[in-house]
Amino acid sequence: MDKINQALPRQSGDMAARLKAQILAGVKDDLVAVEAELAKHLHPQFDRVAMVAGHILFSGGKRLRPLLMILSARLCGYRGDHDAGYATAFEYLHAATLLHDDLVDGGTLRRGKPAAHTVYGNETAVLTGDFLLARALAVAATTGNLDIVRTIVDITEQMSQGEIDQLDKKGSLAITEAEYLEIIRCKTAVLFQGACRVGALIADADPAALEGLSKYGYHLGMAFQMTDDLLDYTADVEILGKKTGADLKEGKLTLPVIYALSRADKPDRLRMETIISDQQFSAGDFKTLIQLLQQYGGIAYTWRRAASNISRAKDALSVFPAGPTRETLLAVAEYALVRKQ
Amino acid sequence: MDKINQALPRQSGDMAARLKAQILAGVKDDLVAVEAELAKHLHPQFDRVAMVAGHILFSGGKRLRPLLMILSARLCGYRGDHDAGYATAFEYLHAATLLHDDLVDGGTLRRGKPAAHTVYGNETAVLTGDFLLARALAVAATTGNLDIVRTIVDITEQMSQGEIDQLDKKGSLAITEAEYLEIIRCKTAVLFQGACRVGALIADADPAALEGLSKYGYHLGMAFQMTDDLLDYTADVEILGKKTGADLKEGKLTLPVIYALSRADKPDRLRMETIISDQQFSAGDFKTLIQLLQQYGGIAYTWRRAASNISRAKDALSVFPAGPTRETLLAVAEYALVRKQ
């Protein structure tokens, strides 16, 4: 774990590109199928929906969540042809959440493009989010499997609770690591976990396989959100497609900050708090803050926690025999740690 | 039908009070059970949700939708004790829609209280709406009945489409009666219809009963929205709990206006269009508009269409033997036509 962590700053660029190529090779046909299915259910009679849903759905998303469902199903022996269709539920759900969250957070950029609510207005963003959520549930219902429906309903409920929880804690300097972990579990990990779980359910997998994939998805999701939160302090804006420091400007304290605040001496804690509380902080202030995050180990600690989750995600796949699908899922886990966007 | 229509302006006050008393007598215990169930699922750990959801849920709603489900189940012979619990799905769904719609429409008053988004902010209104929608679906999933899940998912999808459709046509003077009917079907009738249908499904009703209740709910919902739209031109503000003329100020053309515009001569049509297009119209302008709606039969026509739907709703119950539950549902239908709020 420590070895991975040490290696990251130097090698992660090459590693990210290599892993990405490996993953894409493993899901090439699936990606094509998912894109086709995603477009299929945007009823053309609603021009506005097609446009706004298209704005968020077809703006360079990685399709990670539907691919996780498809790969999980395949790993459990699924050989039918409904996987891409069912998998759209997870991208619709994800897109619905992004639409509402960007509005709630006042986010202005998403994947390098203006956020939908800034282009089409809050009204349209709210209603299109509702439409995509309803679409996701309609897809769930078409599986005819109550366990799948329950899983997807449970995801929507937990995600909504996580978002509310996050809103409640907005701007609070007192948020703890435990509270942070619960928020990212709800807002990110349950969707990853649910996608993997539904993949296993579609394949009618045995309990050990279901449990293994569920664990894999959970830990992958936790790590994914941690690296996402890290990118807000470490990324290249051009590659990330949104501004760094955005979380702080929205009043969101994430693990790098929470940890550093807990370790800093009183004067440095005060310096950090002053910068954080001023949501109009300058570029210079932001640099100072990043230096303090590094000095007090906030960046390194978050990497370690992410790496530890990835380690556990990979371990969870050991119940499956080796093979190309397991390799792809392992590559996804490694990629989550080294990605640049 | 004409008789009902003629009678309305004079007698509807007394009739509304009498019908309301009759309905309340028929659902007294159910109302208590529904209130208890509604409060039960607002997890206390989310103070903000409990507060905002409570703001919309416990502000004098009529609980019409859950009661329709309960009465429908009873009419089909249901004697279990899950009905009030399941019925909450329809109130949660309704409340979720109100939260998002008031935000989308810029509505400021709801049931005589400031709309939630004006009190708690758009962010909270969006997320609480999402939470209530997820709650509704979670309740649906607990029934363990895929037909019920599908019905409720279908409702959410159609309601969302109806709202988007309405937003698309906002401010348009060219909206037709057919387009209006499709919007109110999606935004109101499908929920009424779905509540009645789910009641029948819970009772494992035969196809004729399912069809009868489904029709009843559909026509009741259509009439209910028409009288709602009429109240915007005819109601006493104190009783209605929101401002009259609100629909027009939000750019929503409803049947009284659509019909009158289609019948008016050119100069009067122009007068109406001028008032409608000016969303800051004065009280005097609004009076003029109402006179024109009356002159060109927009008010009377809408009454007749509502009364015709109520007639069909009542007819649809003829497949059931007479009895107290059928009487209550018939009273609900009559009340929908004469209600003052």
Side-chain angles (χ1 to χ4, degrees):
Chain A
M1 197 180 74
D2 271 334
K3 213 177 126 198
I4 295 175
N5 188 38
Q6 295 303 318
L8 282 171
R10 284 194 307 278
Q11 302 175 7
S12 63
D14 294 349
M15 215 194 278
R18 183 181 60 73
L19 288 167
K20 200 172 175 179
Q22 182 190 342
I23 296 163
L24 286 176
V27 298
K28 216 178 121 194
D29 295 344
D30 302 310
L31 259 179
V32 174
V34 166
E35 294 300 322
E37 290 289 335
L38 282 174
K40 208 157 95 179
H41 296 292
L42 296 179
H43 302 255
Q45 68 265 39
F46 295 106
D47 291 347
R48 186 192 294 255
V49 171
M51 189 170 62
V52 184
H55 179 95
I56 187 85
L57 275 174
F58 303 109
S59 61
K62 294 180 270 290
R63 312 304 187 209
L64 185 51
R65 294 152 190 84
L67 289 174
L68 284 174
M69 193 221 85
I70 291 173
L71 290 167
S72 297
R74 191 169 301 147
L75 189 62
C76 295
Y78 181 79
R79 298 288 174 266
D81 53 6
H82 291 300
D83 52 351
Y86 295 161
T88 58
F90 300 96
E91 194 69 18
Y92 289 139
L93 214 50
H94 178 51
T97 314
L98 293 182
L99 278 173
H100 284 186
D101 291 356
D102 281 345
L103 189 160
V104 167
D105 295 337
T108 52
L109 276 184
R110 165 72 58 193
R111 295 171 188 154
K113 287 167 61 175
H117 70 104
T118 67
V119 182
Y120 302 104
N122 285 351
E123 298 82 356
T124 303
V126 170
L127 294 183
T128 308
D130 291 349
F131 172 80
L132 289 171
L133 182 59
R135 268 275 86 223
L137 289 152
V139 171
T142 62
T143 65
N145 180 326
L146 261 175
D147 272 348
I148 292 177
V149 170
R150 285 200 184 101
T151 302
I152 292 180
V153 165
D154 194 47
I155 294 169
T156 64
E157 208 173 8
Q158 294 206 54
M159 287 179 85
S160 135
Q161 292 180 350
E163 292 297 337
I164 288 165
D165 208 11
Q166 181 169 278
L167 184 61
D168 264 343
K169 300 208 163 57
K170 216 173 192 173
S172 161
L173 292 165
I175 180 172
T176 65
E177 181 171 343
E179 288 168 340
Y180 165 81
L181 293 174
E182 176 59 11
I183 287 173
I184 70 168
R185 186 186 72 79
C186 285
K187 78 171 197 171
T188 306
V190 294
L191 184 54
F192 280 64
Q193 182 175 20
C196 294
R197 189 183 148 78
V198 167
L201 287 171
I202 282 167
D204 209 7
D206 63 45
L210 189 68
E211 177 65 16
L213 278 166
S214 195
K215 262 193 188 165
Y216 166 83
Y218 167 77
H219 288 294
L220 177 66
M222 293 298 282
F224 192 86
Q225 188 59 53
M226 287 176 193
T227 54
D228 204 69
D229 294 340
L230 269 173
L231 284 169
D232 205 43
Y233 294 100
T234 60
D236 180 320
V237 179
E238 289 299 311
I239 299 174
L240 187 64
K242 60 180 181 183
K243 293 174 192 155
T244 51
D247 285 344
L248 265 199
K249 290 212 165 148
E250 291 166 7
K252 270 187 222 163
L253 266 60
T254 57
L255 193 50
V257 178
I258 293 166
Y259 185 85
L261 279 175
S262 76
R263 293 299 171 112
D265 61 24
K266 216 169 168 184
D268 279 341
R269 189 181 158 95
L270 202 66
R271 281 172 74 196
M272 284 193 267
E273 288 181 348
T274 306
I275 296 171
I276 295 164
S277 303
D278 171 18
Q279 293 190 4
Q280 304 302 315
F281 53 78
S282 68
D285 287 338
F286 190 57
K287 262 192 186 160
T288 304
L289 182 74
I290 289 177
Q291 277 161 4
L292 287 164
L293 296 186
Q294 279 165 338
Q295 182 184 329
Y296 287 104
I299 305 282
Y301 178 73
T302 306
W303 272 121
R304 284 202 304 278
R305 290 292 315 239
S308 153
N309 271 288
I310 287 304
S311 208
R312 295 171 76 176
K314 289 162 75 177
D315 284 351
L317 295 185
S318 59
V319 293
F320 296 97
T325 305
R326 198 182 78 165
E327 284 310 308
T328 305
L329 284 168
L330 291 171
V332 168
E334 284 170 18
Y335 177 71
L337 211 52
V338 297
R339 70 204 180 95
K340 295 284 170 204
Q341 57 172 322
Chain B
M1 198 179 74
D2 271 334
K3 212 177 128 198
I4 293 175
N5 188 40
Q6 296 301 319
L8 283 172
R10 285 194 307 277
Q11 301 175 8
S12 61
D14 294 347
M15 215 194 278
R18 183 181 60 73
L19 288 167
K20 199 170 174 180
Q22 182 190 345
I23 296 163
L24 285 176
V27 299
K28 214 178 122 196
D29 296 344
D30 301 310
L31 259 179
V32 174
V34 166
E35 294 299 323
E37 290 289 334
L38 282 173
K40 207 157 93 178
H41 295 292
L42 297 178
H43 302 257
Q45 68 265 39
F46 295 107
D47 291 347
R48 186 190 295 256
V49 172
M51 188 171 62
V52 185
H55 179 95
I56 188 84
L57 275 173
F58 303 110
S59 61
K62 293 180 271 288
R63 312 304 188 209
L64 186 51
R65 294 151 190 86
L67 289 174
L68 285 173
M69 194 221 86
I70 291 172
L71 290 167
S72 297
R74 190 168 303 148
L75 189 61
C76 294
Y78 181 79
R79 296 288 175 267
D81 53 6
H82 291 300
D83 53 350
Y86 295 161
T88 58
F90 301 96
E91 194 69 20
Y92 289 139
L93 214 51
H94 178 51
T97 316
L98 292 183
L99 278 173
H100 285 186
D101 290 357
D102 281 345
L103 190 161
V104 167
D105 295 338
T108 52
L109 276 184
R110 165 71 58 191
R111 295 173 188 151
K113 287 168 60 176
H117 70 103
T118 68
V119 182
Y120 302 105
N122 285 351
E123 298 83 355
T124 302
V126 170
L127 294 183
T128 308
D130 291 350
F131 172 80
L132 289 171
L133 182 58
R135 268 276 85 223
L137 289 152
V139 171
T142 62
T143 64
N145 180 326
L146 262 174
D147 272 348
I148 292 177
V149 170
R150 286 201 184 99
T151 303
I152 292 180
V153 165
D154 194 49
I155 293 169
T156 64
E157 208 173 10
Q158 294 205 56
M159 286 179 84
S160 135
Q161 292 180 350
E163 291 297 336
I164 288 165
D165 207 11
Q166 180 169 279
L167 184 61
D168 264 343
K169 301 207 163 61
K170 215 172 190 173
S172 161
L173 293 165
I175 180 172
T176 65
E177 180 170 344
E179 288 168 338
Y180 164 82
L181 292 175
E182 176 60 9
I183 287 173
I184 70 168
R185 185 185 73 77
C186 284
K187 76 171 198 171
T188 305
V190 293
L191 184 54
F192 280 64
Q193 183 176 18
C196 294
R197 188 181 148 79
V198 167
L201 286 172
I202 283 167
D204 209 6
D206 64 46
L210 190 67
E211 177 66 16
L213 277 167
S214 195
K215 263 193 188 165
Y216 166 83
Y218 167 77
H219 288 294
L220 176 65
M222 294 298 281
F224 192 85
Q225 188 58 53
M226 288 176 192
T227 54
D228 202 67
D229 293 340
L230 269 173
L231 284 169
D232 204 43
Y233 295 100
T234 60
D236 180 320
V237 180
E238 289 298 310
I239 299 173
L240 187 63
K242 59 180 181 182
K243 293 173 191 156
T244 51
D247 285 345
L248 266 198
K249 291 215 162 147
E250 290 166 8
K252 269 186 224 162
L253 266 61
T254 58
L255 193 50
V257 177
I258 293 166
Y259 185 86
L261 279 174
S262 75
R263 294 300 171 108
D265 60 25
K266 217 169 167 182
D268 279 340
R269 190 182 157 95
L270 201 66
R271 281 174 73 198
M272 280 193 270
E273 288 181 349
T274 307
I275 295 170
I276 294 165
S277 303
D278 171 18
Q279 293 190 5
Q280 304 302 315
F281 53 76
S282 68
D285 287 339
F286 190 57
K287 263 194 185 157
T288 305
L289 182 76
I290 289 176
Q291 278 161 6
L292 288 163
L293 297 185
Q294 279 166 339
Q295 182 184 330
Y296 287 104
I299 304 282
Y301 179 73
T302 306
W303 273 121
R304 284 202 304 279
R305 291 292 314 239
S308 153
N309 271 288
I310 287 304
S311 209
R312 295 171 75 178
K314 289 162 75 178
D315 284 351
L317 295 185
S318 60
V319 292
F320 297 96
T325 305
R326 198 181 79 164
E327 283 311 307
T328 305
L329 284 168
L330 291 171
V332 168
E334 284 170 17
Y335 177 71
L337 211 51
V338 296
R339 69 202 181 96
K340 295 285 169 204
Q341 57 171 323

